[in-house]
Amino acid sequence: MLMEGKRRIVYDEEMEEIKKGPWKAEEDQVLINHVRKHGPRDWSSIRSKGLLQRTGKSCRLRWVNKLRPHLKSGVKFSAEEERTVIDLQAQFGNKWAKIATYLSGRTDNDVKNFWSSRQKRLARILHTSAPSSSKSHQNTKDHDDISFVKAPKFISSTEEEPVRKSESCSSSSHITDFETIKMVPLPELVYPSMLDYENAPFQIDSTPEKQPFVGPHSHLSFPQLQPDFPLPLESQDFITRLGDPNFLDVFGNSVDLR
DNA sequence: AAAGTTATCAACCGCTGCCTC
DNA sequence: AGAGGCAGCGGTTGATAACTT
């Protein structure tokens, strides 16, 4: 990516240059050398020693996202990886760093970008505009997004670590009552190939044993929607349609599901 | 071929939690 | 105990590539 001409230079209080923007190969090399000597830590010392005019934060990010060994840079997410992300997002919420640990060679940034890209695509398919970036919408973003159901309590078979309050909002395995959660388990979300709805067979088989996820923790299980929870009628209708071979046709007829 | 739209990626920002003093 | 620094995380932005009209 060539953004050389757009490089920004800013100054801190001491008028000491802090370089921002794209990294040069020489800077990468300095960073790699630092990690070879000291390991992936002491990021702020890189600048204090005058090795680079980058913040420690920036150095860490560069290492984690681009320079770390064994990264799958430039390699698209496989169907398997997509399913893993979808499954884990349903379980953990937007814990990208945590999800990334289940995918070798993928960073939290990769997972985050993949998911946000997917959300936009889905929003378009559903004839809802992508979430506005306007600050005034940020706190309510989840509520204009795609569709909502009242979710039942999910049962997870694993004992999980205590969850901080801030984490609980979208982590379905910790929902304790009928909380509003983002996203219904659209078939497309569970089976990424269905986004290619020209060719999708729409043979939805959601039996737990066919869930393809394989992660580092073999005991991991995913919450399942209980079949008989009381969804609002509108949502029930929506979900009923998911099994309809013509389901996606409705999107072409300006049906607003919000 | 040009213009418009969408997808992808890299990097920054702000916040939070942990650790040290 | 609490202040300050640092690392890490998630959200967001902006540039470019790829695709469509």
Side-chain angles (χ1 to χ4, degrees), chain A residues 21-238:
Chain A
W23 282 66
K24 286 181 177 173
E26 307 93 85
E27 293 178 298
D28 283 346
Q29 201 50 58
V30 170
L31 188 51
I32 289 166
N33 289 341
H34 170 85
V35 173
R36 277 191 189 136
K37 273 189 191 170
H38 306 98
R41 64 180 75 86
D42 297 331
W43 302 114
S44 50
S45 74
I46 295 172
R47 179 153 169 265
S48 60
K49 287 176 185 167
L51 297 174
L52 290 173
Q53 300 301 99
R54 302 271 185 176
T55 63
K57 212 171 180 178
S58 178
C59 292
R60 181 194 150 271
L61 205 64
R62 181 66 180 173
W63 171 259
V64 167
N65 288 336
K66 290 300 293 180
L67 301 179
R68 225 170 11 142
H70 313 305
L71 290 177
K72 292 181 184 170
S73 303
V75 180
K76 280 191 174 297
F77 273 59
S78 67
E80 188 64 28
E81 287 175 314
E82 290 190 19
R83 283 192 292 267
T84 301
V85 172
I86 290 158
D87 288 343
L88 291 172
Q89 200 279 341
Q91 172 145 355
F92 301 135
N94 296 358
K95 297 292 161 188
W96 309 123
K98 188 170 186 175
I99 292 170
T101 63
Y102 289 80
L103 300 162
S104 72
R106 299 296 186 187
T107 69
D108 57 348
N109 217 25
D110 290 336
V111 176
K112 195 162 60 178
N113 283 335
F114 163 76
W115 188 262
S116 99
S117 193
R118 183 179 190 80
Q119 293 287 81
K120 282 183 196 165
R121 204 173 6 167
L122 196 62
R124 231 187 34 259
I125 288 171
L126 290 172
H127 270 239
T128 60
S129 55
S132 161
S133 60
S134 138
K135 295 288 179 194
S136 64
H137 282 96
Q138 282 187 3
N139 292 336
T140 57
K141 181 179 74 165
D142 286 352
H143 296 273
D144 8 76
D145 205 357
I146 308 183
S147 59
F148 274 81
V149 297
K150 289 286 185 179
K153 178 179 181 175
F154 286 113
I155 312 257
S156 171
S157 64
T158 51
E159 273 302 310
E160 305 217 11
E161 72 212 71
V163 177
R164 288 172 300 191
K165 198 169 183 181
S166 63
E167 289 181 348
S168 65
C169 57
S170 58
S171 181
S172 57
S173 53
H174 302 293
I175 290 167
T176 54
D177 200 341
F178 286 85
E179 296 180 41
T180 304
I181 62 167
K182 186 171 75 174
M183 307 283 291
V184 295
L186 293 170
E188 178 274 320
L189 285 176
V190 180
Y191 290 83
S193 61
M194 287 186 175
L195 244 196
D196 182 9
Y197 48 83
E198 293 293 330
N199 305 316
F202 282 93
Q203 301 280 315
I204 301 165
D205 187 344
S206 57
T207 53
E209 60 273 17
K210 297 206 174 174
Q211 291 206 355
F213 171 74
V214 178
H217 311 299
S218 55
H219 64 276
L220 192 67
S221 67
F222 295 95
Q224 297 297 311
L225 278 176
Q226 293 169 3
D228 54 350
F229 62 82
L231 284 175
L233 284 176
E234 186 181 287
S235 303
Q236 288 178 14
D237 178 57
F238 181 74

Side-chain angles (χ1 to χ4, degrees), chain A residues 238-253:
Chain A
F238 181 74
I239 287 175
T240 302
R241 290 178 191 210
L242 294 176
D244 179 352
N246 298 318
F247 173 63
L248 282 175
D249 289 350
V250 303
F251 300 131
N253 297 326

